[in-house]
Each structure stands twice: as structure tokens, then as C-alpha cells.
Amino acid sequence: MKWKLTGRYLLSILLIVALVVFLNITILFGLLVNDRTGLDDVESNSGETFTRNFSTYLSLEDGEPIVSEAGREALRQSGAFVRFLDETGRVVSEVDAPSGLPDAYSPIELIQIYKYMDDDLRLYFIGEYESYSYLIGVPEASERRILFMLDEQAVLSYITKAFLWILVVDLLVAALIGVLFSSRLTRPVYRLTERIQQLKQRDFSTAEPKQSGIYRPVFHDLNAVSQTLKTYERQRAELDDRRKEWMSNVSHDLKTPLASIQGYAELLDDDSLDDTERRQYVHVIERQAKYMKELLDDFNLTMRLQHGDFPLTLEETNLEPFVRELVIDVLNDSRFGERHIEFVATQAATVSLDRHFMKRALLNFLYNALLHNDESVQVTVHIEGDIVTIGDDGHGIAESELPYIFERYYRGTNTDDARGSGLGMAISRDIIEAHGGKVEVDSAQGHGTSIRITFMP
């Protein structure tokens, strides 16, 4: 994978370089072949053009060439002079020519000064008019004449070789730079793919690479994802363990009442039983069946809450009479008839709630405060506005257990009553949140527990 990424990156660089070289050469040839405007401008002002057009200023008088006034003015503006030669190369007339020039020119001398200038570095141009030739000299010419011979095949071969060498050199340089940069750029990418494969294999370990460069935020996010997945994995394992424990406990709890029901049902078949004993056995069977039903109801309710299948029948309810009635019902229970619950209400609000399910939720909190503490413990129910607080000064909850008290299937270590499903607190929390409220717990071991329920008015 690592070399595959490096190879792709390197190939892309080489292709880009090859394309750039090809385009540069194409543009260069295109400019040379098609765009002649600039060269035409240069040529229009050149000495060769001036010389070819100079014949327009000439005329013959008595068989000898004469320069017009316009021609003389053009010579002065160009800083040039003109000399006329007959067929033998002898100078027959001249205009503005400096002294010291020869009176005649041989063909070799004409070729020599045309190609290479004269001894005073004057540039010459040659023209023809009628039977005469004329030399136009420019002493201080800004132009230079460069003569060279071209072999088309050699030039084409040279251009081809130059193109190939440029392409090869550019590709080699690009390959070297590409290897250096690709190794730095693809190494973190390769590491990223490794990390993703680790996550796929449920390896949630975190590590910070030594050279992450521009990928540092990506590695940071991957580490955050790893931590989150690790937390989810741990929570899932803990939930599975608690579910297994709950299933084991519920199975045990169901076996006990089932055994009682089966045993007392067999005893009822005895004809020697009197009516009093028979009624006692029937009450035992009824009580055990009711307990089994409560366990199954808890299981069914928590599944509905967990999957959002929980329709509410809301009623506008004042919290003070509603909670007061709950407290009275608890105190009327034979198990808590001797207990004391302090009830205080201050400007109780009216909220929308499902009375049946909210009663179930608040009763769970009250029963926990009474069941898991000694009879001497003081339980207080306080209402202020839309907030209901249920507190006690009992054993409290260990700090290590606080994060789990609302988890399904969890039973605290201070729970002495084995006849429970471990779903009560989770059910209460889910019912209150389904109403748009929230539950907060404040507890310390040895200092009691306070449960704060906030409703949405």
C-alpha cells in the first residue's frame, strides 16, 4: 500500500512535467510560425527595408542617378549615405558619403563589406536601380548582420535531441523531487490507512506519529474516534455483563416463585387440607404470581422505553396534590406504616404528565429511599415550582457507583432486597426524560442521597 501510494504520486508528477514541457515547446513553435507581427514591425524599420524602398527616391538625369530632396532627408534622418556604382563597380556619384572611401569596388570587396562591414565598422546595404547598383552605408547602425548556414535535417535532428534531453532531464529532476516529497506526503497517508485498518479490527489503541505534518488534525480526530470507540466498547461489554447478570438474577427470581407456586399447587391437591390452610396456600400462590408479573412488566417496560415505543397520555397536573397522594400511598403500605416522610411544598407548578407512568417513576425513588436505609433514616419530599426533590440522610451511594445507578440491569452494593429487577432506576429516568424533564443525583457515602427531578412546565 505504501509503495502504491508513492508510485501514484510520482507518476502524477512525471505526467505533469511531460505535459508542461510539451505545451511549452508547442507554444514556442506556435509563436514562431503564426505570430509574425512583432518580426514584421522589426523588419519594417530595418536597413534592408529602407534600402529596398530607397529606389522610390531615385531618378535618372542625363543617364546618371539623382537622389530627390525627400531621399536626401531620409538619409539624414537615418544617419546614412549612398554611393552609386556602374556595372564595373566604379563610383559614379554619392550623397553625404564620408571621405576616404574607395573610388571603386570589386565584387569580392562588395561581398566583404556587405557581410562583415568595412574597417570603420560601417554597415552596408546593397540595392539596384536601372543599370546602377547603390550602397547605403550606416556609420552608427544599431542593427547587426549575422550570417549563418542551415541544414534543415541537422536542425530538425538537433531540435529533436534537445527536446528529448530537456524532457529526460526534467523528468529526472521531477522524479527526484517527487520521491523526496512523496515519501514525506504518503508516509502519513499510509499510517492513516493502517490506523483505519486497526479500527476495523477493533484495535482502539492511540498513537501520535512523529511526522504527521498537514495530517496532524486528521490523526487527532482518529485518536478521538479511537477513544470514543474504546469507551463504547467498554460500555457495551459492561452492559452485556450486567445483562447476563440480570438474566441470571431474573431466572433465579422466577425460579423461586415458580417453585413456591408449584409446591403449594401440589399441596392444594391434598383433600386433608382444611379451608384455612387452603386459603393460606392460595394467598402464597397469588403473591408469587404477582411478583412474577411485576418482573415481566419491568422487563417489557424497559424494552419499550429503550426502543422509543412509549406513548404518553398527558394531563395538566398540579404537583403538590399529585406527589402528596403518592406519599400517602407509600405510608399506607404495611411495610412502611411505621416510617416517617416529611412533605414540604412551595408554590408547586402545574405540569403536563402521564399520571400512571409518573407515579411509577416517583414511587421507585421513594421505595429506594425507604428500602435501602434503616428505619431511623429521615426521608424528605420537597416541591418548589416545577422541581421535586426526594432526599434521605441514610447510607448514601459510593462515588464509584454513581455513574451506573441509572444503567439498566444494575444493582447497587447497598441493595439488600434481592427481589428486584435492577431496572427501577433506569425506568424512572427514562419516564421522566420522556416527559422532557431531567433527573440529577447528589450522594455521598454515609451522608445520604438527594434526587432532584426537574419538570418542563
Side-chain angles (χ1 to χ4, degrees), residues 342-372:
E342 182 179 352
F343 179 82
V344 179
T346 305
Q347 296 180 344
T350 298
V351 297
S352 296
L353 51 82
D354 187 306
R355 298 175 63 90
H356 171 72
F357 286 114
M358 189 56 66
K359 179 178 180 180
R360 170 72 183 276
L362 297 180
L363 281 177
N364 279 339
F365 294 140
L366 282 171
Y367 284 145
N368 283 340
L370 295 169
L371 288 172
H372 304 320

Short mmCIF file of all heavy atoms in Angstrom, two decimals, residues 342-372:
data_model
loop_
_atom_site.label_atom_id
_atom_site.label_comp_id
_atom_site.label_asym_id
_atom_site.label_seq_id
_atom_site.Cartn_x
_atom_site.Cartn_y
_atom_site.Cartn_z
N GLU A 342 -41.24 13.38 55.49
CA GLU A 342 -41.55 14.81 55.62
C GLU A 342 -41.89 15.36 54.24
O GLU A 342 -41.13 15.18 53.27
CB GLU A 342 -40.34 15.56 56.18
CG GLU A 342 -40.61 17.05 56.38
CD GLU A 342 -39.42 17.77 56.96
OE1 GLU A 342 -38.43 17.10 57.35
OE2 GLU A 342 -39.47 19.01 57.03
N PHE A 343 -43.03 16.03 54.17
CA PHE A 343 -43.50 16.57 52.88
C PHE A 343 -43.59 18.09 52.97
O PHE A 343 -44.26 18.62 53.87
CB PHE A 343 -44.87 15.97 52.53
CG PHE A 343 -45.44 16.49 51.24
CD1 PHE A 343 -45.03 15.95 50.02
CD2 PHE A 343 -46.38 17.52 51.24
CE1 PHE A 343 -45.56 16.43 48.84
CE2 PHE A 343 -46.90 17.99 50.05
CZ PHE A 343 -46.49 17.45 48.84
N VAL A 344 -42.92 18.81 52.03
CA VAL A 344 -42.93 20.27 52.00
C VAL A 344 -43.18 20.71 50.56
O VAL A 344 -42.52 20.22 49.63
CB VAL A 344 -41.59 20.86 52.50
CG1 VAL A 344 -41.64 22.38 52.44
CG2 VAL A 344 -41.28 20.37 53.92
N ALA A 345 -44.15 21.63 50.39
CA ALA A 345 -44.45 22.13 49.04
C ALA A 345 -44.47 23.65 49.05
O ALA A 345 -45.09 24.26 49.93
CB ALA A 345 -45.79 21.59 48.55
N THR A 346 -43.79 24.28 48.09
CA THR A 346 -43.73 25.73 47.97
C THR A 346 -44.04 26.13 46.53
O THR A 346 -43.25 25.85 45.61
CB THR A 346 -42.33 26.26 48.35
OG1 THR A 346 -42.00 25.79 49.67
CG2 THR A 346 -42.30 27.78 48.32
N GLN A 347 -45.21 26.75 46.34
CA GLN A 347 -45.61 27.23 45.01
C GLN A 347 -45.44 26.14 43.95
O GLN A 347 -44.71 26.31 42.96
CB GLN A 347 -44.81 28.47 44.62
CG GLN A 347 -45.05 29.67 45.53
CD GLN A 347 -44.23 30.89 45.11
OE1 GLN A 347 -43.28 30.77 44.36
NE2 GLN A 347 -44.60 32.05 45.63
N ALA A 348 -46.07 25.02 44.18
CA ALA A 348 -45.96 23.90 43.24
C ALA A 348 -46.54 24.28 41.88
O ALA A 348 -47.59 24.91 41.78
CB ALA A 348 -46.69 22.68 43.80
N ALA A 349 -45.84 23.89 40.81
CA ALA A 349 -46.26 24.22 39.45
C ALA A 349 -47.26 23.19 38.93
O ALA A 349 -47.41 22.09 39.47
CB ALA A 349 -45.05 24.28 38.54
N THR A 350 -47.92 23.55 37.85
CA THR A 350 -48.79 22.63 37.12
C THR A 350 -48.09 22.21 35.84
O THR A 350 -47.67 23.06 35.05
CB THR A 350 -50.14 23.31 36.79
OG1 THR A 350 -50.79 23.67 38.01
CG2 THR A 350 -51.02 22.37 35.98
N VAL A 351 -47.94 20.92 35.65
CA VAL A 351 -47.19 20.40 34.50
C VAL A 351 -48.03 19.36 33.77
O VAL A 351 -49.00 18.80 34.32
CB VAL A 351 -45.86 19.77 34.95
CG1 VAL A 351 -44.96 20.82 35.58
CG2 VAL A 351 -46.08 18.63 35.92
N SER A 352 -47.64 19.06 32.52
CA SER A 352 -48.30 18.03 31.73
C SER A 352 -47.56 16.72 31.92
O SER A 352 -46.35 16.63 31.66
CB SER A 352 -48.29 18.40 30.24
OG SER A 352 -49.05 19.57 30.01
N LEU A 353 -48.28 15.70 32.40
CA LEU A 353 -47.63 14.41 32.62
C LEU A 353 -48.64 13.27 32.51
O LEU A 353 -49.85 13.47 32.61
CB LEU A 353 -46.92 14.39 33.98
CG LEU A 353 -47.69 14.80 35.24
CD1 LEU A 353 -48.54 13.66 35.76
CD2 LEU A 353 -46.72 15.26 36.32
N ASP A 354 -48.10 12.11 32.28
CA ASP A 354 -48.88 10.88 32.30
C ASP A 354 -48.91 10.41 33.75
O ASP A 354 -47.89 9.94 34.28
CB ASP A 354 -48.25 9.84 31.38
CG ASP A 354 -49.11 8.59 31.22
OD1 ASP A 354 -49.48 8.01 32.26
OD2 ASP A 354 -49.39 8.20 30.08
N ARG A 355 -50.05 10.51 34.39
CA ARG A 355 -50.13 10.28 35.83
C ARG A 355 -49.73 8.84 36.19
O ARG A 355 -49.06 8.61 37.20
CB ARG A 355 -51.55 10.57 36.33
CG ARG A 355 -51.97 12.04 36.13
CD ARG A 355 -53.42 12.25 36.52
NE ARG A 355 -53.66 11.99 37.93
CZ ARG A 355 -53.57 12.89 38.90
NH1 ARG A 355 -53.22 14.14 38.59
NH2 ARG A 355 -53.81 12.59 40.14
N HIS A 356 -50.13 7.89 35.35
CA HIS A 356 -49.84 6.48 35.66
C HIS A 356 -48.33 6.22 35.66
O HIS A 356 -47.78 5.67 36.63
CB HIS A 356 -50.54 5.58 34.65
CG HIS A 356 -50.13 4.14 34.75
ND1 HIS A 356 -50.53 3.32 35.79
CD2 HIS A 356 -49.35 3.37 33.93
CE1 HIS A 356 -50.01 2.12 35.62
NE2 HIS A 356 -49.29 2.11 34.50
N PHE A 357 -47.66 6.63 34.58
CA PHE A 357 -46.23 6.33 34.47
C PHE A 357 -45.40 7.21 35.41
O PHE A 357 -44.40 6.74 35.96
CB PHE A 357 -45.76 6.51 33.03
CG PHE A 357 -46.21 5.41 32.11
CD1 PHE A 357 -47.11 5.66 31.09
CD2 PHE A 357 -45.75 4.11 32.27
CE1 PHE A 357 -47.53 4.65 30.24
CE2 PHE A 357 -46.17 3.09 31.43
CZ PHE A 357 -47.06 3.36 30.41
N MET A 358 -45.81 8.47 35.62
CA MET A 358 -45.05 9.32 36.53
C MET A 358 -45.18 8.82 37.96
O MET A 358 -44.22 8.92 38.75
CB MET A 358 -45.53 10.77 36.40
CG MET A 358 -44.64 11.75 37.16
SD MET A 358 -42.90 11.66 36.66
CE MET A 358 -43.02 12.25 34.97
N LYS A 359 -46.33 8.27 38.30
CA LYS A 359 -46.48 7.68 39.62
C LYS A 359 -45.49 6.54 39.80
O LYS A 359 -44.86 6.40 40.85
CB LYS A 359 -47.91 7.18 39.81
CG LYS A 359 -48.18 6.53 41.15
CD LYS A 359 -49.64 6.10 41.27
CE LYS A 359 -49.90 5.44 42.63
NZ LYS A 359 -51.31 5.01 42.78
N ARG A 360 -45.35 5.73 38.75
CA ARG A 360 -44.40 4.61 38.80
C ARG A 360 -42.98 5.14 39.00
O ARG A 360 -42.21 4.59 39.81
CB ARG A 360 -44.50 3.81 37.49
CG ARG A 360 -43.42 2.77 37.29
CD ARG A 360 -43.63 1.58 38.22
NE ARG A 360 -42.58 0.62 38.08
CZ ARG A 360 -42.54 -0.34 37.14
NH1 ARG A 360 -43.53 -0.42 36.25
NH2 ARG A 360 -41.57 -1.19 37.10
N ALA A 361 -42.61 6.20 38.30
CA ALA A 361 -41.25 6.72 38.39
C ALA A 361 -40.94 7.26 39.78
O ALA A 361 -39.91 6.95 40.38
CB ALA A 361 -41.05 7.82 37.34
N LEU A 362 -41.84 8.09 40.33
CA LEU A 362 -41.59 8.70 41.64
C LEU A 362 -41.65 7.67 42.75
O LEU A 362 -40.90 7.75 43.74
CB LEU A 362 -42.58 9.82 41.89
CG LEU A 362 -42.50 11.01 40.90
CD1 LEU A 362 -43.53 12.07 41.26
CD2 LEU A 362 -41.11 11.61 40.89
N LEU A 363 -42.53 6.67 42.63
CA LEU A 363 -42.60 5.63 43.65
C LEU A 363 -41.30 4.84 43.71
O LEU A 363 -40.88 4.40 44.80
CB LEU A 363 -43.78 4.69 43.37
CG LEU A 363 -45.17 5.21 43.77
CD1 LEU A 363 -46.25 4.22 43.36
CD2 LEU A 363 -45.24 5.48 45.27
N ASN A 364 -40.67 4.61 42.57
CA ASN A 364 -39.37 3.91 42.58
C ASN A 364 -38.36 4.64 43.44
O ASN A 364 -37.63 4.03 44.24
CB ASN A 364 -38.83 3.78 41.15
CG ASN A 364 -39.46 2.62 40.39
OD1 ASN A 364 -40.00 1.69 41.00
ND2 ASN A 364 -39.39 2.67 39.07
N PHE A 365 -38.32 5.99 43.32
CA PHE A 365 -37.36 6.76 44.12
C PHE A 365 -37.72 6.70 45.61
O PHE A 365 -36.84 6.57 46.46
CB PHE A 365 -37.35 8.22 43.65
CG PHE A 365 -36.83 8.41 42.25
CD1 PHE A 365 -37.43 9.32 41.39
CD2 PHE A 365 -35.75 7.68 41.78
CE1 PHE A 365 -36.95 9.51 40.10
CE2 PHE A 365 -35.28 7.85 40.49
CZ PHE A 365 -35.88 8.76 39.65
N LEU A 366 -39.01 6.80 45.91
CA LEU A 366 -39.43 6.73 47.33
C LEU A 366 -39.13 5.37 47.93
O LEU A 366 -38.63 5.26 49.05
CB LEU A 366 -40.91 7.06 47.43
CG LEU A 366 -41.30 8.54 47.35
CD1 LEU A 366 -42.80 8.69 47.26
CD2 LEU A 366 -40.77 9.30 48.58
N TYR A 367 -39.46 4.31 47.19
CA TYR A 367 -39.21 2.96 47.70
C TYR A 367 -37.72 2.72 47.93
O TYR A 367 -37.32 2.09 48.92
CB TYR A 367 -39.76 1.91 46.74
CG TYR A 367 -41.27 1.76 46.79
CD1 TYR A 367 -42.01 1.49 45.65
CD2 TYR A 367 -41.95 1.90 48.00
CE1 TYR A 367 -43.39 1.35 45.69
CE2 TYR A 367 -43.33 1.77 48.06
CZ TYR A 367 -44.04 1.50 46.90
OH TYR A 367 -45.40 1.37 46.96
N ASN A 368 -36.88 3.21 47.00
CA ASN A 368 -35.43 3.04 47.18
C ASN A 368 -34.95 3.72 48.44
O ASN A 368 -34.11 3.20 49.19
CB ASN A 368 -34.68 3.59 45.97
CG ASN A 368 -34.75 2.67 44.77
OD1 ASN A 368 -35.01 1.48 44.91
ND2 ASN A 368 -34.53 3.21 43.58
N ALA A 369 -35.46 4.95 48.70
CA ALA A 369 -35.04 5.69 49.90
C ALA A 369 -35.44 4.94 51.18
O ALA A 369 -34.73 5.01 52.19
CB ALA A 369 -35.64 7.08 49.90
N LEU A 370 -36.56 4.22 51.13
CA LEU A 370 -37.03 3.51 52.32
C LEU A 370 -36.44 2.11 52.44
O LEU A 370 -36.06 1.68 53.54
CB LEU A 370 -38.56 3.43 52.29
CG LEU A 370 -39.30 4.77 52.39
CD1 LEU A 370 -40.77 4.59 52.06
CD2 LEU A 370 -39.13 5.39 53.77
N LEU A 371 -36.33 1.41 51.33
CA LEU A 371 -35.89 0.02 51.38
C LEU A 371 -34.40 -0.13 51.66
O LEU A 371 -33.98 -1.08 52.32
CB LEU A 371 -36.22 -0.68 50.05
CG LEU A 371 -37.69 -0.97 49.78
CD1 LEU A 371 -37.90 -1.47 48.36
CD2 LEU A 371 -38.21 -2.02 50.78
N HIS A 372 -33.60 0.79 51.16
CA HIS A 372 -32.15 0.63 51.25
C HIS A 372 -31.55 1.39 52.42
O HIS A 372 -30.34 1.62 52.46
CB HIS A 372 -31.50 1.10 49.94
CG HIS A 372 -32.03 0.39 48.73
ND1 HIS A 372 -32.31 -0.95 48.72
CD2 HIS A 372 -32.33 0.86 47.47
CE1 HIS A 372 -32.76 -1.29 47.52
NE2 HIS A 372 -32.80 -0.22 46.76
#
